[in-house]
Every structure is written in structure tokens, then in C-alpha cells.
Amino acid sequence: MEKFVVEGQYSLNGTVEISGSKNSALPVMAAALLTEEECKIKNVPPLRDIIIMEDILNTLSVKTDFSPKNNVISIKADNISSVSDDGSLTGKIRASFLTAGSLLSRFGYAKISLPGGCSIGTRPIDLHLKGFAKLGAEVSKEFGSIELKAERLKGADIYLDFPSVGATENIIMAAALAEGATTLSNAAMEPEIADLCCFLNKMGAEISGAGTDTIKINGAKTLHGACHSVIPDRIEAGTFMLIGAACGAVTVKNVYPEHLLPVVSKLKELGAEVEIQGENISVKNTGKIKNADIKTLPYPGFPTDMQPQFMSLMTLGSGTGVINETIFENRFLQVGELNRMGADIKTEGSSAIIRGVDRLTGTRVKATDLRAGAALIISALCAEGTTEIEDIYHIERGYCNIDKKLNSIGARIGRL
Ligand code: EPZ
């Protein structure tokens, strides 16, 4: 298993180009299943999760052509052989379940292996299934798979008990070819939802209200191919901004600042210097981080995907900060690893209490999930001595060449 070896306490200074959003590219790739015509998707990040999603489409005999060097993937779902995969791949990434809505909508049938949980939570899909049932699908769970059947889906009024990102995306894709109108209330408002709806409307769908908590979808008879460039990855951008606040001065390029308001606001509250210039944001370490409280919420609240990274920053801040993680039930896996580096963090249920310490020291740590791994990189960059981060495949799921990008602005990260 590959690992990063990080020499700490080098001051970083420079600009980092932000890649396309993983969490936008994945549902957009699934939406391409709604038409038999070719779709061209640009600004797709060459990440492991994207390659696995491409493999999943290929198991459905969907034609794909991904060129990682120019981040463009073309997808043509004109002769899908079986609308169920053997499950060998779907278990690898949860986002594979996002093909359910499109397959059900276009073919009236889908059989997908139940997505597993992951380290941050059980990750249920009950809201997805309730939405499909409201649209008229017959849902059955057996032998580790979900089977979905429907003559033709019919539009319905659906209320989501929780503004789930994945459920919102899956239900929109299912409603896109349903007969009649669907209103989705208490929908997720993340920017990735608006990006997916922008792509679907280019395909001929009739969707309004994306980005608000009420989305209306008028079902279309068929959808045609389209070309789309996904939005920048706001979580990759936020992670590099945190690194600037912790270790020097970092400018992130090609971002949408309006997607980063909670991150900018919290960084300023903690005492970092933040400057927004068009599609660039510069963040500087001011030498004094004053700890504050954080509560993760659905968008436009503070993003859970930035929680571990802020925890890292606060381990060296002054005073005490409390983080309340309201989205996932087990997203403090980085705590044990950070404490091994000298941090002083205690967890009580969904809260973590971080008491600032003067120094962190390098040691051997393990990445347990994508964002916890990013948090360990931030702490390793600030720690005295050398830190070895194992299981970096978790990190590479969401960050393209993070070691190269950091070394280009003064970090010392080796890969073994
Ligand atoms: C998406 O996951 C993102 N993944 C996650 O990013 C992100 O953390 C999450 O949204 C929240 O913003 C992708 O977009 C591929 P949810 P998703 O459905 O859709 C509960 C990363 O680091 N829930 O909004 O799975 C669920 O248990 C990843 O890039 C149900 O109870 O998130 C969780 O507690 C991690 N029933 C909460 O909702 C359901 O049917 C939020 O889940 C669905 C979800």
C-alpha cells in the first residue's frame, strides 16, 4: 500500500489549480444513461472514483472514452445490454447507486447491488427508495441487491425527510423521463445539484428550482445528448485554503467563491487572512488561529466534507473549539490519529472538543477516509519532524495529485 512521507514545517507559498468536482462529475456521468445519444463531459477530475464509475458504466455495456490528460469523458448509452451489474464494482463506490434513477427512468428496471456503508456512517438509501416508490416503482431488496421495476414512472409530489444529496440527485434523474410533473420538497441545495440539473436541462429536461429546497421536474418523452463542463471542486478548494491558513499563503485558482462562503467565513472567524479576487481566493496564515465552534449542516450551512480539515487547523489554534457533526454519525475517525501527533481532542457523541496545543510532532498515521486523510496531510505539514501517512488510496479518491500540487508550492511530500 502506498504512503506519503511528509517533512513538516516548511512554509508554503503559491497558487494551486483546482480540479473539477468529483461530487458533480459522478451524478452527471449517471445522468448520461438517460439518453442513447453521446454526452461529452468536461473538467472531469482523473480520480479513482471516476475510473470506477466508468467501469460500472462499461459493465452495463455503455461506451465510454475518458482521456485523463484533458479531463474529458464521452459516454454513449445506446445499447445497454443488461440493466443490472454483477455487483462486483458497485460495492466499490457508493456513488454507483446513482445509476439507479436513470436506469429505472429509461428502462423501467434496474438491479443494483446494495451500496455498502463506509467508515463515516451506515449510509442508508431509504430516502432514495421512498422517492422511487412514490414515482410508482416496485422496490425489492434481496440477496444484497435492490431490484426496481416500473411500467412507466409517474410524476408525484415527494417530500424528503432529510435533504439528502444523493436521494435528491437520484429522484431528479428518475423523474426526468417520468410521465407528468414531480415536485421534490425539502430537496438538497448543494451546488452539485444545480450542476446536475443544468446538464439535464441541456439534454432537454424541464427542471426548475435547482439550488432551492423545492425542485420541479416536468417529465420528458426522451432526452438527447449534450456537452457540459462540471463546476470546480469546492471541497478540494476549501482544503487547499485551509492549508494556506495553516502553513503559509495559498491561492486557489478557478473556483466559484459563492460555493465557499461558509468556509471563507469560518476561516476569517479563526483569524486567517482571506482575499477573494474573481475566481481566485488567497488565504494567508497570520500566526494566530483563535479556535471557534463549528456545526456541520446541509448546504448552504457549513459543509461536513470540510469538518476534519478544520479540526486539524484548530489543533494548533489558541483556546478551545467545539465541532458538532450533525450529518454523519461517525465522522471523527481522524481524532485518534491527530491525538497521536500530540493534539488534544475529546469526543462526546456528535461533538468533538479541541483544545489548542503548541506543537504537533510527526509519527506514523493512517488515513481512514477521504477527508480524514486530508486532515492528516494538513497536520503533517504543520508537525515537527516526519509523518508517514498510510492508506493514501482514501485520499486519492478525492484529490488529484495532492502531493505534486503541494510540492509545487514548497511542501516536502514523498510517496513510497
Ligand atoms: C454526498 O453523499 C457526498 N458524496 C458526500 O461527500 C457528502 O459528505 C454528502 O453528500 C453530504 O454533503 C457524493 O456526492 C458522491 P447524503 P450522500 O445522502 O449523497 C443520511 C466526500 O467526502 N441519509 O446527503 O451519500 C445519511 O446517512 C463524500 O466527498 C439517509 O438517512 O450524502 C447521512 O447521515 C463523503 N437516508 C445524511 O443523510 C438516505 O436515503 C447525508 O447523506 C440517504 C442519506
Side-chain angles (χ1 to χ4, degrees):
M1 290 285 198
E2 280 194 310
K3 60 184 169 187
F4 284 145
V5 179
V6 185
E7 300 299 326
Q9 301 202 315
Y10 284 86
S11 170
L12 307 190
N13 194 334
T15 299
V16 171
E17 185 99 23
I18 297 304
S19 306
S21 161
K22 162 177 88 79
N23 291 350
S24 184
L26 290 167
V28 166
M29 287 168 76
L33 295 173
L34 285 163
T35 177
E36 61 180 14
E37 296 181 12
E38 186 179 36
C39 292
K40 203 173 268 300
I41 306 160
K42 299 177 180 169
N43 201 28
V44 174
L47 291 165
R48 211 170 127 255
D49 275 16
I50 300 291
I51 308 294
I52 295 175
M53 187 63 151
E54 186 187 12
D55 289 348
I56 289 161
L57 298 182
N58 295 155
T59 59
L60 297 169
S61 38
V62 173
K63 296 186 195 81
T64 61
D65 177 19
F66 183 35
S67 52
K69 63 182 181 314
N70 55 25
N71 302 339
V72 176
I73 185 166
S74 69
I75 298 173
K76 196 161 194 272
D78 58 351
N79 71 339
I80 291 195
S81 56
S82 74
V83 281
S84 68
D85 73 277
D86 62 9
S88 57
L89 283 164
T90 35
K92 281 196 175 167
I93 58 166
R94 297 181 31 74
S96 56
F97 192 67
L98 288 173
T99 59
S102 295
L103 293 172
L104 178 62
S105 195
R106 182 155 165 226
F107 301 103
Y109 182 81
K111 187 164 178 239
I112 304 183
S113 75
L114 265 167
C118 67
S119 49
I120 63 176
T122 53
R123 313 293 295 273
I125 52 169
D126 56 311
L127 299 176
H128 300 237
L129 301 181
K130 272 164 78 173
F132 294 150
K134 285 284 276 186
L135 293 168
E138 222 183 281
V139 180
S140 59
K141 264 189 208 175
E142 51 183 17
F143 308 116
S145 284
I146 292 277
E147 194 173 38
L148 304 165
K149 282 185 209 160
E151 276 309 302
R152 175 135 200 242
L153 295 178
K154 286 194 177 32
D157 292 344
I158 300 168
Y159 174 83
L160 281 178
D161 300 342
F162 178 85
S164 150
V165 172
T168 300
E169 291 165 344
N170 240 337
I171 292 166
I172 287 171
M173 289 187 267
L177 291 175
E179 194 176 330
T182 294
T183 300
L184 184 56
S185 306
N186 197 27
M189 301 192 272
E190 273 72 1
E192 293 74 28
I193 309 277
D195 203 31
L196 170 65
C197 292
C198 174
F199 174 57
L200 285 165
N201 283 339
K202 286 180 183 174
M203 294 170 75
E206 266 183 64
I207 303 170
S208 57
T212 74
D213 63 0
T214 306
I215 300 177
K216 288 191 186 321
I217 306 109
N218 287 328
K221 283 232 175 321
T222 59
L223 295 176
H224 52 74
C227 182
H228 182 71
S229 183
V230 301
I231 55 174
D233 193 313
R234 62 191 167 98
I235 305 301
E236 185 197 19
T239 304
F240 280 104
M241 288 161 64
L242 258 283
I243 290 170
C247 323
V250 174
T251 297
V252 290
K253 260 180 79 178
N254 297 344
V255 299
Y256 291 172
E258 64 275 20
H259 293 169
L260 282 150
L261 298 185
V263 173
V264 169
S265 155
K266 197 51 75 176
L267 277 173
K268 286 181 176 171
E269 187 184 343
L270 288 169
E273 205 179 287
V274 184
E275 209 190 322
I276 297 178
Q277 308 116 341
E279 296 200 343
N280 300 349
I281 303 180
S282 299
V283 181
K284 278 199 186 74
N285 170 306
T286 56
K288 55 184 182 319
I289 292 291
K290 198 170 56 55
N291 285 341
D293 295 346
I294 288 176
K295 179 175 186 177
T296 65
L297 288 166
Y299 195 90
F302 185 94
T304 174
D305 290 348
M306 285 301 303
Q307 175 264 107
Q309 300 91 313
F310 268 90
M311 182 184 281
S312 268
L313 179 66
M314 294 199 323
T315 59
L316 288 170
S318 61
T320 300
V322 179
I323 292 181
N324 181 5
E325 171 57 59
T326 72
I327 306 293
F328 288 107
E329 67 269 31
N330 190 28
R331 200 171 202 170
F332 287 148
L333 294 169
Q334 67 278 1
V335 169
E337 301 303 292
L338 293 175
N339 284 342
R340 295 188 58 242
M341 297 177 73
D344 176 358
I345 309 167
K346 283 184 183 47
T347 59
E348 271 167 34
S350 67
S351 292
I353 298 109
I354 300 106
R355 287 192 184 80
V357 295
D358 296 334
R359 64 198 275 258
L360 295 178
T361 51
T363 179
R364 181 175 293 182
V365 291
K366 254 186 198 311
T368 49
D369 61 85
L370 168 51
R371 307 303 172 184
L376 293 177
I377 288 181
I378 295 173
S379 294
L381 291 169
C382 302
E384 282 172 35
T386 305
T387 303
E388 288 191 7
I389 303 175
E390 297 178 345
D391 294 351
I392 59 171
Y393 64 90
H394 286 292
I395 302 172
E396 309 231 276
R397 286 189 49 204
Y399 296 93
C400 311
N401 307 316
I402 189 165
D403 48 336
K404 287 201 188 82
K405 289 186 178 180
L406 287 171
N407 288 338
S408 73
I409 57 172
R412 299 282 177 92
I413 303 179
R415 176 189 286 257
L416 292 183

